[in-house]
Amino acid sequence: MRIVISTAFVSLDGVVEAPGGEPGYRNSGWTFKDVEFLPEAFDIKGREQQEATAMLMGRTSYEAFSAVWPDMEDFAGYKVMPKYVVSTTLAEGDLVSNWGETTILRSLDEVAALKETEGGPIIVHGSASLNQALSDAGLIDRYHLLVFPLLLGAGKRLFSATDKDTQKLKLVEHEVYANGLQKNVFDVVR
């Protein structure tokens, strides 16, 4: 069985919206405008590309990433790995041709079936709505969180507001950096 790893840049108050400057959000670009860049704080991002064997994302994140990541050297590892997009609206004709093998999944049941296949970790980038649905369905096994020392208020959240039973997490790796960023890696306790 494969594991699903959710990786996110998240503000201290749980916002994940527009960390890289995506338009339409008041605090867009908060990861690089408001916090000093320290390369060591982002080492986990390179490790994720080395360890992941597939990438999973929602339609909105796919559309944002597929427009720029295929030609970026920083994301070369993702170009060659299989990608899965969870969407009920995306059509095959909407997929880009320069980013390798991409499969559209139409439901969380299809994600659960993907987890049952052979292979290594599946990494989830961006995709706030998908992360919420995966978490609520018990399909996430690990969280890689870079927590920024910012309070952003309104914005898309990593976790849903669904009323549900407690889900216990085990901290398996952590570090605090001079710029206030915190790396927290949690395994979901089953």
Side-chain angles (χ1 to χ4, degrees):
M1 183 162 158
R2 302 171 84 168
I3 66 166
V4 172
I5 300 169
S6 169
T7 181
F9 295 145
V10 60
S11 69
L12 189 59
D13 57 349
V15 174
V16 294
E17 186 168 356
E22 299 80 358
Y25 176 59
R26 175 183 183 178
N27 294 313
S28 185
W30 49 271
T31 59
F32 60 86
K33 287 197 288 191
D34 299 313
V35 177
E36 175 191 2
F37 178 76
L38 292 178
E40 60 271 21
F42 297 88
D43 284 348
I44 193 169
K45 305 318 282 175
R47 192 174 85 204
E48 288 170 350
Q49 278 189 76
Q50 293 171 348
E51 294 174 358
T53 60
M55 188 163 56
L56 180 68
M57 64 206 111
R59 179 193 50 81
T60 301
S61 292
Y62 173 78
E63 289 172 345
F65 297 152
S66 68
V68 292
W69 282 18
D71 297 321
M72 292 180 70
E73 187 60 35
D74 287 348
F75 302 109
Y78 290 130
K79 187 170 185 169
V80 296
M81 73 177 59
K83 284 160 281 305
Y84 298 89
V85 183
V86 181
S87 173
T88 58
T89 59
L90 195 68
E92 291 290 331
D94 296 327
L95 299 176
V96 298
S97 61
N98 63 334
W99 204 22
E101 175 191 344
T102 304
T103 303
I104 300 171
L105 304 178
R106 298 294 183 195
S107 69
L108 292 181
D109 288 339
E110 290 186 38
V111 175
L114 175 64
K115 280 188 66 164
E116 296 296 326
T117 63
E118 294 293 319
I122 302 166
I123 194 99
V124 182
H125 279 282
S127 310
S129 297
L130 177 61
N131 263 294
Q132 291 177 5
L134 292 169
S135 178
D136 289 349
L139 294 173
I140 294 178
D141 302 290
R142 175 173 279 183
Y143 291 94
H144 289 184
L145 305 179
L146 279 180
V147 181
F148 285 69
L150 302 169
L151 300 175
L152 299 175
K156 293 178 183 175
R157 301 277 198 249
L158 180 61
F159 300 103
S160 77
T162 302
D163 187 15
K164 61 183 178 182
D165 291 338
T166 301
Q167 185 174 50
K168 187 167 170 49
L169 305 175
K170 179 181 179 186
L171 184 65
V172 295
E173 182 181 341
H174 64 92
E175 193 161 349
V176 178
Y177 302 95
N179 61 359
L181 257 72
Q182 299 175 36
K183 173 180 65 179
N184 294 302
V185 176
F186 293 99
D187 281 344
V188 175
V189 176
R190 306 257 187 241

